[in-house]
Amino acid sequence: MIGIAVIGAGRIGKIHAANAAGNPRLSLKYIVDPYGDPAGLAQEHGAQTTDAEHIWADPEVAGVVIASSTDTHLDYTLAAVRAGKHVFCEKPLDQDVNRALGALKELESAGPKVLLGFNRRFDPNFASLRARLSQGEIGALETLHIISHDPAPPPPAYIKTSGGIFKDMSIHDFDMARWLLDEEIESVFASASVLVDPEIGTAGDFDSAKIILRTVTGKLCVISNSRRSGYGYDQRIEAFGSKGLIRADNVLETTVQSWTEPGAKTAPFENFFLDRYAAAYRIEMEHFADVLEGKAAPLADQHDGVGALLLAEAAEQSARTGRVVTLGTGGD
């Protein structure tokens, strides 16, 4: 079994710790959280609590899962690879794209690999959609629609430290767009508003956005983001090609339906991202085990982290100025 450690014992850290502890190829040795009390989580999974310096020095730790606050992601990633540890880092790689760009050379030349936590690539539905696109089922891809609406807005206090809607929420959709379009994105246009919670606007952010991406060959992607759906966690993708359409629809709580005189009744959508993407998180950890064993290269790495960050910053600039932002060669 391969020894790993988890840094961060919050909401996502608990998910990763459980998946690591439940993976027969991995041994969860340590939980680190300098700002909280990880003792309960460590005890639950038979791990120990320690500090980051101990992890770097322990030769039995081959991989580190970084699930700490966003502003620590890049620093922990660099420290881990310098210590010879493979990394599974939650998105985004950093909130400052220039810092992330500045770290690329070191991360590229390091022996250890970096897996970026774009978990939607591991969702069975979205992965199937991409595979069928790659097989040419609908001919050449022409346009893409990505819908990502949260069931309800987060508290304003979260907004202040999240990096904003484009780096916190849309960044998953930017990565999915890059993955599915599979070519350089040339320009970004975003229009954003505060329609859900005025306190989000007071915190300096938006809660609703529509984004248009255009690739170098003219392919178009429309991304719809909202901090409130009112009907569940709305996660859909539609891909339109020269021969037809491939669609990945929402996941329901159950597949049970009733049919009566008033019509059909189905179960509601999954209402939280941890439920909707539970399988994706498990598959993602299995993929990290493959990376640790040398059986696979990271499906999403530091370059994908920087690529999504560049799109997030371009969208922010576009939303603030009302103008199309043209990207350089680093946009993809």
Side-chain angles (χ1 to χ4, degrees):
M1 297 176 73
I2 303 169
I4 69 167
V6 173
I7 300 178
R11 185 169 61 183
I12 194 63
K14 291 175 181 176
I15 296 297
H16 290 319
N19 287 334
N23 190 298
R25 293 190 287 164
L26 301 177
S27 173
L28 179 60
K29 293 178 63 67
Y30 301 111
I31 305 286
V32 176
D33 193 327
Y35 303 108
D37 183 4
L41 183 63
Q43 184 177 14
E44 179 182 354
H45 296 299
Q48 301 177 45
T49 60
T50 187
D51 57 29
E53 295 304 318
H54 183 86
I55 290 173
W56 312 147
D58 189 338
E60 294 186 2
V61 175
V64 179
V65 178
I66 299 171
S68 50
S69 60
T70 299
D71 59 354
T72 66
H73 286 182
L74 184 57
D75 289 339
Y76 276 136
T77 296
L78 289 169
V81 298
R82 288 166 185 166
K85 317 297 184 184
H86 296 288
V87 173
F88 170 8
C89 179
E90 267 302 320
K91 63 80 195 170
L93 182 60
D94 196 70
Q95 289 185 348
D96 184 337
V97 71
N98 290 321
R99 283 196 76 223
L101 282 166
L104 270 185
K105 185 175 181 180
E106 180 175 354
L107 295 177
E108 287 170 356
S109 60
K113 304 298 183 183
V114 177
L115 170 65
L116 251 290
F118 288 121
N119 64 294
R120 295 181 191 182
R121 294 194 183 203
F122 299 91
D123 175 72
N125 301 291
F126 296 161
S128 176
L129 183 148
R130 186 180 189 272
R132 291 166 72 169
L133 273 178
S134 300
Q135 293 161 7
E137 186 170 327
I138 60 166
L141 177 64
E142 295 173 347
T143 64
L144 193 63
H145 292 177
I146 300 176
I147 297 172
S148 181
H149 295 178
D150 286 347
Y158 171 81
I159 296 294
K160 293 177 181 178
T161 60
S162 69
I165 189 170
F166 297 115
K167 291 181 181 177
D168 174 59
M169 182 179 182
S170 311
I171 198 162
H172 279 294
D173 306 309
F174 293 138
D175 179 69
M176 188 56 53
R178 294 179 69 251
W179 194 47
L180 297 177
L181 291 167
D182 197 28
E183 66 179 49
E184 185 179 342
I185 293 170
E186 179 181 71
S187 65
V188 179
F189 177 73
S191 185
S193 297
V194 180
L195 302 173
V196 175
D197 184 353
E199 290 300 314
I200 291 178
T202 301
D205 197 18
F206 307 105
D207 56 35
S208 307
K210 303 291 184 183
I211 308 156
I212 300 176
L213 310 178
R214 181 184 177 93
T215 73
V216 291
T217 65
K219 294 177 185 177
L220 298 173
C221 174
V222 178
I223 297 172
S224 177
N225 291 139
S226 174
R227 291 291 195 180
R228 178 198 61 208
S229 70
Y231 52 84
Y233 193 42
D234 191 356
Q235 300 286 290
R236 290 173 279 154
I237 296 178
E238 295 178 327
F240 298 87
S242 57
K243 296 180 181 179
L245 157 73
I246 297 178
R247 173 175 177 167
D249 214 334
N250 280 298
V251 176
L252 307 182
E253 289 183 356
T254 75
T255 61
V256 178
Q257 297 181 337
S258 64
W259 296 75
T260 59
E261 186 174 345
K265 183 178 180 180
T266 66
F269 299 160
E270 294 280 12
N271 199 52
F272 195 47
F273 76 93
L274 294 179
D275 300 321
R276 168 62 181 82
Y277 290 111
Y281 286 122
R282 289 193 296 271
I283 296 169
E284 192 176 35
M285 188 61 69
E286 186 73 15
H287 177 67
F288 188 46
D290 287 338
V291 172
L292 291 169
E293 290 182 350
K295 296 178 179 178
L299 183 59
D301 63 13
Q302 62 270 14
H303 294 280
D304 299 300
V306 168
L309 266 177
L310 284 165
L311 294 178
E313 295 217 341
E316 180 83 24
Q317 181 183 345
S318 178
R320 301 289 180 187
T321 64
R323 297 180 178 180
V324 174
V325 175
T326 301
L327 300 173
T329 56
D332 191 47

